[in-house]
Amino acid sequence: MSHRRRRSRPDPAPLPGSFWLGWYATFGVLLVLTLISPYLAGSLQAQPEPKAKGWPADAPQWFAKWLEGLNVLVTGGRDFPIWSLRIVCLILVLATLWALRRGMLGRTAFKPGPIDVKEFETDIPTGDPVPAAKDLTARFQRQLSETDLYAPINLPAEAPAENFLDLLGDVNLQPKNLASSLLHLVSRLRPRIAYRVNGVLTVRDADPCFGLTVTLTSYAIRGSRMQTFWEQSWEQAVRSAGFWVMASLIPVTRFGRNQPWRPWRDRNLPPELFAAYQQGREFARNRRFDEALDKFYRALHMDPQNAYLRNQIGTVQEQLGLYLDAMETYYDVISAAGLGKQKEHDRLWGGWWQRATARLHGCKPALLQARYRFAVILGTSELTAEQWCKPEGTPARDTAREHIRQALAPALTERYSAGGGLGENNTDDKSHEQALPQKFLGIDSDEGEGRANQEEIELIFQLISAFELRRLFKDFNTARFFLKALGRSRELALTKPALKVGKDAWAPLRLSQKWREVNQLLMKQDRSVLSTTHVPIADKMNLDEISLTYPSPKEPSLPLPHWRRDWQAHYNAGCVLSVAMRTTRNRGKLAERACQELKMAVQYSTSGYVPLARSWLLYEDPDLAELRKEQAFKRFVREFFPHATPNLLPIAQEGDEKRVRPTDIEVTAYDREFLGQIGKAMERVWHERAAHLPANLAAVGDWFAREKLIWKLMDTICASQARNWPNREQLLGQVNEVTDPSLRARLELPPAVPELEQILELDNTILDQAWTQVDDAAKRMKDLPRVLDEQLLALHRTLRSRSRCSPIEYSQAWLEEVRRRSIWGWDPLRKEILRDACDRYAKIWHVFATQFSALVDPGMVTRDFAVAAEELCALEPLLLVDR
């Protein structure tokens, strides 16, 4: 039993919040009272007046009385009531100015205002190297700027007064020049800075030894924090301090209202969480997807219920072509939000109150986005079903795929059997509830049966997609109404026209096409033809009527108002028209109309979206596969996406041969570049070690221990054909520990995932061929995944060998020899033998890096790697030291 309280309040934010709205309200009340005071003074001096005639007629008389009272308060009077009123009026003026200043300070802190970063000071003992404080301060300012929140101030700024009395003391009130004095006082009321950061650089003997003590002061809310960061370098300390400062400010500023930090408002936001998220976003923008996934998963570990972080992970998984993983990620968002079987039952069949509360439960923008992406991934079932059914041939990915299937099959059954989703809305019929997971998990070994099974699973995915889009459209109107009422409509990434196109045209059209394909395939195999009674998730959806609605669409009816500047709706409309081209002969008219919709989508989209969606639109989106074959699409590409490279659209077209998607080619090119850069980095590491040999056996033992671990991770990558991103991230982490940051920067390690046109820059032979023989160049690029698999398989055989020719076994032999002689205590080292070993390791890493060069024959380099491994093992790990 837990001994904690039933409800534990979260840790409050270390800096107090600024209640600037309350201070502005107080200022308004005091200002009204101050303005009424002259009228009261005028009433005390005025003679009795006749009865009032009404506001319009008496307004000039009231104004005259107010001016008379103001004159009495300024010039003075001998009556005691006038002196009392003057004192009260002075107190009201001071209180009004005080409330105004507090409100301006709070508003500046909440807005937030600029950060004044003072130049770092140094507290380093005499004799130690002193860092460039000005350079580190500039790096710290740049770190704050890269957080995309606001930039630090670069101009000199005076700190605001400590309190209101100090502010009044700084102003010299001159009776003869009262107007100038009042203007000076008002100008002093406005705060110029909201926060100030001071830093002190220090060192210590323990490791890590580089320290930076940062003090964050808030002048608006009178709070401060101090923290010391110890890192391996000054740059890392500055980076950690920058993340800490921003994590301290976000919960108490308006940026705490934005996603993903809304749950952390007025709470203590962990700087590690903020750092992981910011670095993940930076890596994702630079197409370094392995590192982005690693950072996002670290952030999710510290904030598991954050749906926005999970959506970020799903987006990166889609960009890596891990559609099955992305489907599980989006479903986890839906499941974690509580939209389970009971909620679905209440949504469909409960009373009006249950239906209303169930819809309100799903009004979160991140949940709506996850449901939409989940429906889209299922709708493009040719991608997801293939990964669901076909083994990838690698142990890691096959195990991951099996885990996903085992988890999703019963979960989907539970969600879509709610309210009669299975078995024609018959909740009492439990026989169909087991049909869905058996169909998902039962993959027949026979090729023909397995293909039919994949087609049937694609149909089920299409059904789920259409069903989910219909439910989402119903919930979207409710969510949009409430989010507009709360002033959060900008958080919605979806639009009603885009959802309507998907619900009424895209999903039914794809479903009808897949329905006919599955029936025709089953008839050829003399198997029973599917009917709506055998297909789950039929919830009020008649498949026969859908097939009749889109038997051979010449031009589908698109529920799209063309006057609306909605890029997402126009893009979805172009996808619908492209999908319709599969079952009609009137392809030319549909192609022109589809290109017109895509043009409007590009014109109406924001500037930042077009480059991000370029690769997806031109090569990867399966909905546009038919459109890419038409001349109209080629004209559209030349007009809106001009490029200096040859036409690579044949790569994105689907043929009769095994499909190789552009995403597979891009990831393959990344794997080749990644492994090649690893080889180059390790080659330079061993050259550096040969030039600076250590004087003790402990350092040498650490060399060979890490070398063995790196080769073992390399063997794991080769065994999984470089398809498991966590293995790549683990290898990169080990290489980062033995390499210098400047070396990694020169080599651009790790590289970014290249886009399709950038691959031509990596292989000049394909570029030359693409200008004259486009189809041959496309075929060669499609062969890149197969060639890489062959290379990795050959490397795996060499590395897994139990002989001394394996770098793993050879590194182990060196490690055992070093440990044995270290125990005996023999010293000094024989540096000539150790230098020879370093040169041999550098050579084998050089050959390894050349293995993934695009300008050589893979078969020849494979043989060269085996020869280099034999030469490496020619030097026996003996006679390291003199006896």
Side-chain angles (χ1 to χ4, degrees), residues 291-310:
E291 293 175 289
L293 277 179
D294 180 66
K295 295 300 181 181
F296 283 141
Y297 271 115
R298 292 187 183 184
L300 191 63
H301 177 74
M302 291 177 277
D303 192 2
Q305 297 300 320
N306 198 316
Y308 189 87
L309 289 177
R310 298 193 183 210

Side-chain angles (χ1 to χ4, degrees), residues 499-728:
L499 281 177
K500 192 171 181 59
V501 171
K503 175 184 73 78
D504 294 340
W506 180 76
L509 180 59
R510 270 185 159 271
L511 179 58
S512 64
Q513 292 178 353
K514 184 55 62 178
W515 174 254
R516 289 193 300 270
E517 292 177 8
V518 172
N519 277 334
Q520 293 174 2
L521 183 61
L522 294 179
M523 290 177 62
K524 291 180 180 179
Q525 298 178 354
D526 295 330
R527 296 172 60 186
S528 59
V529 180
L530 291 174
S531 64
T532 55
T533 59
H534 296 128
V535 178
I537 321 164
D539 182 55
K540 301 178 182 179
M541 185 186 303
N542 194 323
L543 295 182
D544 296 329
E545 293 180 0
I546 292 177
S547 292
L548 293 175
T549 305
Y550 296 96
S552 180
K554 296 181 180 179
E555 186 171 347
S557 177
L558 297 175
L560 176 64
H562 288 275
W563 53 267
R564 189 181 180 103
R565 301 173 65 88
D566 187 349
W567 70 265
Q568 196 172 25
H570 287 293
Y571 183 84
N572 290 354
C575 292
V576 170
L577 295 167
S578 177
V579 172
M581 295 170 60
R582 300 176 183 176
T583 55
T584 183
R585 296 180 180 179
N586 190 14
R587 297 173 59 90
K589 184 178 179 180
L590 288 178
E592 292 291 342
R593 174 79 184 279
C595 290
Q596 186 65 28
E597 297 290 347
L598 293 180
K599 289 179 182 179
M600 288 188 286
V602 174
Q603 291 172 351
Y604 295 159
S605 61
T606 57
S607 300
Y609 167 77
V610 176
L612 293 176
R614 182 178 185 275
S615 180
W616 174 257
L617 187 152
L618 297 184
Y619 308 111
E620 300 174 16
D621 193 345
D623 289 331
L624 302 178
E626 294 295 328
L627 182 61
R628 295 187 185 101
K629 302 176 183 178
E630 300 299 322
Q631 190 64 31
F633 186 78
K634 297 179 181 179
R635 293 198 304 270
F636 161 73
V637 174
R638 299 289 297 181
E639 181 178 356
F640 284 88
F641 298 97
H643 55 86
T645 57
N647 179 23
L648 298 179
L649 290 178
I651 297 176
Q653 299 176 7
E654 297 182 1
D656 296 331
E657 69 278 359
K658 181 181 179 181
R659 291 179 295 184
V660 178
R661 298 184 180 87
T663 304
D664 300 333
I665 299 175
E666 292 175 351
V667 175
T668 298
Y670 164 72
D671 291 336
R672 295 178 62 89
E673 186 73 8
F674 173 79
L675 295 175
Q677 296 291 43
I678 290 289
K680 293 179 182 178
M682 291 305 300
E683 177 189 0
R684 299 191 183 185
V685 165
W686 282 106
H687 281 311
E688 184 70 17
R689 288 172 176 174
H692 304 86
L693 293 177
N696 58 78
L697 287 174
V700 178
D702 184 66
W703 287 1
F704 294 112
R706 290 186 178 274
E707 185 72 8
K708 176 189 174 182
L709 180 57
I710 290 174
W711 280 113
K712 289 185 68 175
L713 290 172
M714 188 67 70
D715 177 60
T716 304
I717 289 178
C718 295
S720 64
Q721 297 176 355
R723 295 178 183 175
N724 197 30
W725 73 267
N727 296 336
R728 296 194 296 259

Side-chain angles (χ1 to χ4, degrees), residues 258-263 277 281 296 300 303-315 329-330 333 365-367 369-370 491 493:
N258 302 333
Q259 294 292 353
W261 312 122
R262 182 178 293 273
Y277 172 75
R281 285 191 58 193
F296 283 141
L300 191 63
D303 192 2
Q305 297 300 320
N306 198 316
Y308 189 87
L309 289 177
R310 298 193 183 210
N311 287 340
Q312 295 277 51
I313 292 175
T315 301
T329 299
Y330 293 132
V333 176
L367 177 59
Q369 180 68 17
E491 297 182 17

Side-chain angles (χ1 to χ4, degrees), residues 243-285:
F243 287 136
W244 176 81
V245 169
M246 300 311 302
S248 302
L249 295 181
I250 284 178
V252 296
T253 60
R254 65 174 178 177
F255 294 106
R257 296 181 176 183
N258 302 333
Q259 294 292 353
W261 312 122
R262 182 178 293 273
W264 293 95
R265 290 182 60 189
D266 298 326
R267 294 178 56 189
N268 188 9
L269 175 63
E272 298 82 6
L273 171 60
F274 180 79
Y277 172 75
Q278 286 296 133
Q279 291 171 352
R281 285 191 58 193
E282 180 182 355
F283 290 143
R285 285 195 300 264

Side-chain angles (χ1 to χ4, degrees), residues 390-410:
K390 295 301 181 66
E392 300 189 27
T394 61
R397 286 302 304 163
D398 287 345
T399 302
R401 178 178 61 87
E402 188 64 24
H403 288 170
I404 293 175
R405 296 190 340 164
Q406 294 285 351
L408 279 184

Side-chain angles (χ1 to χ4, degrees), residues 116 118 153-159 192-193 196:
D116 181 25
K118 291 298 183 181
I153 188 172
N154 293 322
L155 300 177
E158 182 182 357
R192 290 175 173 81
I193 62 174
R196 171 163 289 174

